Amino acid sequence: MAKSPLKVITVNVNGVRAAFRKGMAEWLEQAKPDILALQEVRADTSDLVALFDEVKHLSPSGQWHILHQAASAKGRAGVAVISAQPSVSHSTVLGPDDFDSAGRWLEAEFEVGAERITVVSTYVHSGEVDTPKQVEKYKFLEAMQARMAELIATRKFAVVLG
């Protein structure tokens, strides 16, 4: 994919459109990531495609490949993995079905030379004490812990970002 070493960066953008208005393109030009994990995207995939198409010249390969899991609630959460080269596979599955469409977990696997690396972009939501949100957060963290144990057992290289 890229010259060694591979540059993987994570950013909680708190709204990708706002991040671009505040200078994300200039930051990308300086940072030069091979893989970029985003959290709190708060946009549609079409928005990501349009924004990153405008800065495709900043990609080491001249284009960006976009994987995105939008939140089920519009304008909330959402995670993405943006890369200079396409992934060989990706998944948003994290345990129970109610986690799979919440815009909080995205795994992407990349070939880097003779090796494979799994990159996870995750967003762990807040939870207020003694509320259903806290219960959901703990369920999410338990599912995350189980998946990370699977990654450790089955992958040589994995990085969880968020």
Side-chain angles (χ1 to χ4, degrees), residues 16-18 20 43 46-56:
V16 71
R17 291 179 300 262
F20 269 87
S46 60
D47 296 317
L48 281 171
V49 169
L51 289 167
F52 280 89
D53 190 51
E54 290 180 21
V55 294
K56 63 185 173 188

Side-chain angles (χ1 to χ4, degrees), residues 89 91 107-109 116-119 147-159:
S89 66
S91 174
E107 289 181 33
E109 192 169 7
R116 286 193 176 204
I117 180 172
T118 300
V119 176
R147 181 61 186 142
M148 289 189 331
E150 290 173 5
L151 290 172
I152 289 168
T154 61
R155 304 293 196 283
K156 185 174 179 181
F157 301 105
V159 59

Side-chain angles (χ1 to χ4, degrees), residues 99-143:
F99 294 133
D100 295 338
S101 65
R104 295 184 274 161
W105 186 267
L106 175 61
E107 289 181 33
E109 192 169 7
F110 297 92
E111 286 184 353
V112 181
E115 302 290 348
R116 286 193 176 204
I117 180 172
T118 300
V119 176
V120 178
S121 182
T122 187
Y123 172 68
V124 180
H125 61 294
S126 62
E128 298 170 32
V129 175
D130 297 325
T131 67
K133 284 182 81 174
Q134 181 92 31
V135 172
E136 286 300 309
K137 179 176 183 171
Y138 285 142
K139 284 172 46 179
F140 182 81
L141 290 172
E142 288 169 6

Side-chain angles (χ1 to χ4, degrees), residues 41-46 48 66-71 78-81 92 106:
V41 172
R42 298 181 181 179
D44 293 325
T45 301
S46 60
L48 281 171
I66 298 169
L67 298 172
H68 178 226
Q69 189 195 34
V79 290
V81 174
T92 58
L106 175 61

